[in-house]
Amino acid sequence: MMSITNTPTSNDACLSIVHSLMCHRQGGESETFAKRAIESLVKKLKEKKDELDSLITAITTNGAHPSKCVTIQRTLDGRLQVAGRKGFPHVIYARLWRWPDLHKNELKHVKYCQFAFDLKCDSVCVNPYHYERVVSPGIDLSGLTLSGSGPSALMVKDEYDYESQQSLPSTEGHMQTIQHPPSRPVAPEPFNTPAMLPPAEGSSAASSSAFSNIAVGSANATSTWTRNNNFTPSVPHHQNGHLQHHPPMAHPAHYWPVHNEIGFQPPISNHPAPEYWCSIAYFEMDVQVGETFKVPSSCPIVTVDGYVDPSGGDRFCLGQLSNVHRTEAIERARLHIGKGVQLECKGEGDVWVRCLSDHAVFVQSYYLDREAGRAPGDAVHKIYPSAYIKVFDLRQCHRQMQQQAATAQAAAAAQAAAVAGNIPGPGSVGGIAPAISLSAAAGIGVDDLRRLCILRMSFVKGWGPDYPRQSIKETPCWIEIHLHRALQLLDEVLHTMPIADPTPLD
């Protein structure tokens, strides 16, 4: 840190001023981005020496000395573009010099600021010490009731920030981004280490202890059986049906209710647990980078982060993977992976995600689609920092694969009968919804069923109609997670109801 006596003034060269201001940055952004942002600001202020001196004083004294407004011209949409990224100018500089994890709706200007962003003047004050951070209240939908008009959802445009709207009209029939912010700041908490499925056949007692971490309940309340068989009732909390997934404050066992099911459920299959509970492939755009990472069943919690430590066991580090075709945009996005995510396997094969990164992750999850009342694959789920939510339910997946396999098998039989001239009567094709044609149902193949057993997750950047990218394969860094217990169950389903010439799954 430079002392106040060595700080530059507006008469010094831009390079000296930038260097001094860089020494005070908080480190949330890459050095390249920070330098570009500071250079841009200093150049804009070079003709306004008093404002430039105010900026230097504010930053180098950490706001200890009073300072004037530091203004730049307001753009048409209010946002400033720096190094290919757009953001609100007062937020960009507040992040650089004060709060690297700041969300845009957490800033409130001080009373004496004459050109604060919210005042809608032609000039915008970007002096970080003319703004205060207010704790984001989060979005509490507990007082709302379910309506029959279809789920409302939080739409999102800005990939780094919360949007202020609490509800926008549902875009039924179109892919939609659904937000999952934490309800309030959550202190780090230790994970329960759930017992995994025994690697070989065990007694009924072993089975009950292996699956004791399963939530039971109804629509009105949730109750949890912990590993020590202590029964813990938890506070019921509606989430407007499904759109908000709020992490618990201190108890890691407040789960979503599992409707109409009982505790101590036997395993779905007696087949021994797989050696690895999941495998994770890392992609940049549509290219896999590095080897697929397999997570042993002995490690029910795995961290996927952006650091450069060697990967192994319960940690997959993406920072150390090299790609000769990596672009600058991908490199920038990778810098924001940070602490990444934790994936946790509970019980026989349910999966929960905790976002540890300072930026949101975007998830494709058929379980969350169903919870949100959407068709499978019809939504992208934005999971905010600190949020901890369930993204995969093994029993639901098993039911779904059984139904789809039966539907496909029955449709194929009905098609064959039709070709033979035996037109089946209505209702003879069991389980096919009227909206699904026979040819479509008969066309369900093994790949369609495998998709039920896969999660996809993009870091930092989203996709879909709310973003410039229409597919996850257009995002700069993402992972695909194959869930081995679900694939095992699919193999069993296909052996009992073969469809479309199934092949064994590994």
Side-chain angles (χ1 to χ4, degrees):
M1 291 277 183
M2 300 176 73
S3 71
I4 189 71
T5 55
N6 294 331
T7 54
T9 68
S10 57
N11 294 319
D12 287 305
C14 284
L15 199 61
S16 302
I17 299 171
V18 169
H19 176 75
S20 174
L21 297 178
M22 280 286 285
C23 292
H24 294 267
R25 67 191 181 94
Q26 293 300 305
E29 300 286 1
S30 70
E31 185 173 352
T32 304
F33 178 85
K35 192 173 182 182
R36 294 275 286 276
I38 295 171
E39 281 175 348
S40 167
L41 180 57
V42 170
K43 285 176 183 174
K44 288 186 172 99
L45 297 174
K46 207 53 179 145
E47 300 306 314
K48 298 189 282 187
K49 292 185 180 297
D50 58 332
E51 293 190 21
L52 183 50
D53 281 325
S54 280
L55 176 70
I56 294 168
T57 299
I59 301 307
T60 57
T61 65
N62 295 324
H65 291 251
S67 53
K68 300 177 184 175
C69 284
V70 177
T71 62
I72 60 173
Q73 189 70 29
R74 180 185 289 270
T75 59
L76 286 174
D77 67 353
R79 295 189 297 169
L80 179 69
Q81 181 155 327
V82 177
R85 275 170 44 193
K86 274 194 165 188
F88 294 112
H90 63 312
V91 177
I92 290 175
Y93 293 107
R95 280 181 185 153
L96 267 182
W97 284 309
R98 295 195 70 183
W99 307 287
D101 60 343
L102 177 75
H103 290 294
K104 72 177 184 201
N105 61 338
E106 294 179 331
L107 279 186
K108 177 185 176 185
H109 65 269
V110 294
K111 290 179 181 177
Y112 52 81
C113 182
Q114 298 177 323
F115 296 95
F117 181 83
D118 292 339
L119 299 179
K120 309 289 186 191
C121 302
D122 289 339
S123 295
V124 178
C125 179
V126 294
N127 185 338
Y129 292 94
H130 277 206
Y131 294 89
E132 295 171 342
R133 187 175 188 177
V134 292
V135 177
S136 174
I139 302 167
D140 183 9
L141 301 183
S142 59
L144 299 182
T145 55
L146 294 173
S147 66
S149 58
S152 65
L154 296 171
M155 301 294 289
V156 58
K157 292 290 182 188
D158 189 320
E159 297 181 56
Y160 290 96
D161 300 304
Y162 290 91
E163 284 296 311
S164 57
Q165 304 97 315
Q166 288 202 14
S167 177
L168 289 176
S170 173
T171 53
E172 202 64 47
H174 303 285
M175 184 177 275
Q176 184 176 358
T177 305
I178 298 172
Q179 294 189 35
H180 303 269
S183 59
R184 51 199 175 272
V186 179
E189 59 188 57
F191 282 98
N192 269 3
T193 304
M196 295 295 290
L197 184 68
E201 294 87 359
S203 65
S204 59
S207 296
S208 66
S209 97
F211 303 108
S212 57
N213 236 343
I214 295 175
V216 295
S218 66
N220 296 322
T222 326
S223 303
T224 303
W225 288 96
T226 64
R227 190 174 176 181
N228 296 326
N229 297 343
N230 296 321
F231 186 73
T232 309
S234 60
V235 181
H237 54 286
H238 288 292
Q239 308 290 343
N240 197 19
H242 22 246
L243 298 175
Q244 299 296 324
H245 295 252
H246 299 182
M249 277 298 284
H251 200 294
H254 290 204
Y255 305 150
W256 278 81
V258 181
H259 298 287
N260 304 319
E261 294 181 8
I262 58 169
F264 305 112
Q265 295 163 323
I268 298 170
S269 165
N270 291 323
H271 198 285
E275 183 181 359
Y276 301 96
W277 72 264
C278 77
S279 54
I280 307 169
Y282 169 65
F283 292 83
E284 292 176 358
M285 310 294 275
D286 59 351
V287 176
Q288 182 173 348
V289 177
E291 299 292 322
T292 299
F293 183 80
K294 293 184 176 180
V295 184
S297 291
S298 58
C299 299
I301 299 171
V302 61
T303 303
V304 183
D305 60 44
Y307 300 123
V308 294
D309 303 308
S311 297
D314 63 352
R315 189 172 175 206
F316 185 19
C317 295
L318 306 179
Q320 42 97 22
L321 300 176
S322 59
N323 176 11
V324 293
H325 302 295
R326 184 171 293 152
T327 64
E328 189 182 344
I330 294 173
E331 196 64 74
R332 278 202 308 271
R334 279 167 54 83
L335 290 172
H336 291 289
I337 296 173
K339 295 179 182 177
V341 295
Q342 271 183 332
L343 307 171
E344 181 177 6
C345 183
K346 290 190 177 185
E348 189 175 357
D350 294 352
V351 179
W352 290 63
V353 167
R354 185 189 298 272
C355 181
L356 303 176
S357 173
D358 289 336
H359 297 289
V361 294
F362 299 80
V363 177
Q364 185 179 70
S365 157
Y366 289 170
Y367 169 77
L368 287 178
D369 292 343
R370 178 168 171 161
E371 290 292 294
R374 310 291 297 183
D378 198 29
V380 179
H381 300 269
K382 183 174 184 180
I383 301 178
Y384 279 94
S386 299
Y388 175 52
I389 70 168
K390 185 176 183 178
V391 293
F392 181 80
D393 185 286
L394 187 68
R395 288 182 184 274
Q396 183 200 90
C397 176
H398 186 239
R399 284 193 299 269
Q400 206 168 348
M401 63 177 69
Q402 284 179 316
Q403 289 166 0
Q404 287 195 15
T407 296
Q409 197 177 44
Q415 265 193 333
V419 169
N422 304 321
I423 307 298
S428 62
V429 181
I432 299 182
I436 303 177
S437 67
L438 279 182
S439 58
I444 295 173
V446 176
D447 284 346
D448 298 294
L449 296 177
R450 282 184 72 104
R451 285 191 196 100
L452 300 174
C453 311
I454 294 171
L455 295 168
R456 286 175 160 183
M457 185 181 304
S458 167
F459 294 98
V460 184
K461 299 289 184 180
W463 76 95
D466 301 319
Y467 300 100
R469 299 159 293 277
Q470 294 310 300
S471 157
I472 195 171
K473 293 185 178 181
E474 296 172 35
T475 63
C477 39
W478 59 280
I479 53 176
E480 185 171 87
I481 304 147
H482 290 241
L483 303 172
H484 293 190
R485 185 60 172 172
L487 289 167
Q488 257 187 355
L489 297 179
L490 176 56
D491 205 22
E492 291 182 11
V493 168
L494 292 175
H495 278 99
T496 56
M497 301 185 255
I499 63 167
D501 189 25
T503 54
L505 301 171
D506 43 45

